[in-house]
């Protein structure tokens, strides 16, 4: 799979940490939405990184969505509870971290 990301994006860094924790092989494609020749708007209507392209050619964007997709691959360690209140709590912590980053 390919991760399209800028090297400074904290959202992309979150995904890179998950990929490293799970030892999932991927190709990092450095792409910045602010560059004139960016491919990001073709892949993400929101025009933001990170974007993940799976080995099957499906595209996922928005880091919580990408994190959820990576969890479905089943590679240890599990980073999200499968369902229930614990899963909601983890999502809330992620939303808080993303919100603090958005505000910074
Ligand atoms: N909610 C998104 C936020 C992604 C985001 O804001 N990425 C920034 C880089 S850190 C971006 O691509 N900004 C481009 C723009 O706003 O035009 C996620 O979690 O993936």
């Amino acid at each position: 799979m390919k991760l399209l990301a800028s090297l400074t994006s904290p959202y992309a860094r979150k995904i890179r940490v998950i990929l490293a924790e799970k030892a999932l092989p991927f190709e990092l494609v450095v792409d910045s939405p602010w560059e004139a020749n960016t491919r990001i708007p073709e892949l993400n209507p929101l025009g933001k990184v990170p974007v993940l392209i799976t080995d099957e050619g499906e595209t996922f964007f928005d880091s919580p969505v990408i994190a959820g997709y990576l969890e479905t691959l089943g590679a240890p360690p599990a980073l999200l509870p499968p369902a229930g209140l614990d899963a909601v709590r983890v999502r809330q912590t992620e939303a808080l971290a993303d919100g603090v980053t958005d505000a910074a």
Side-chain angles (χ1 to χ4, degrees):
M1 64 191 135
K2 292 183 183 177
L3 178 69
L4 285 83
S6 68
L7 295 178
T8 55
S9 168
Y11 308 98
R13 192 172 306 120
K14 171 173 54 171
I15 300 305
R16 291 165 64 192
V17 168
I18 293 171
L19 287 161
E21 287 290 330
K22 291 178 172 293
L24 288 167
F26 71 103
E27 179 187 344
L28 177 64
V29 179
V30 177
D31 193 331
S32 171
W34 293 281
E35 299 290 333
N37 60 348
T38 179
R39 288 184 60 211
I40 299 302
E42 297 165 30
L43 300 166
N44 176 358
L46 301 174
K48 296 183 178 188
V49 289
V51 172
L52 187 91
I53 305 176
T54 71
D55 291 341
E56 292 72 34
E58 192 166 359
T59 299
F60 292 113
F61 52 82
D62 217 79
S63 60
V65 175
I66 297 171
Y69 166 73
L70 293 176
E71 203 64 19
T72 70
L73 299 179
L79 298 176
L80 292 173
L85 195 51
D86 284 346
V88 173
R89 290 184 177 125
V90 169
R91 297 285 188 201
Q92 179 167 258
T93 301
E94 183 176 22
L96 177 62
D98 286 352
V100 168
T101 304
D102 282 344

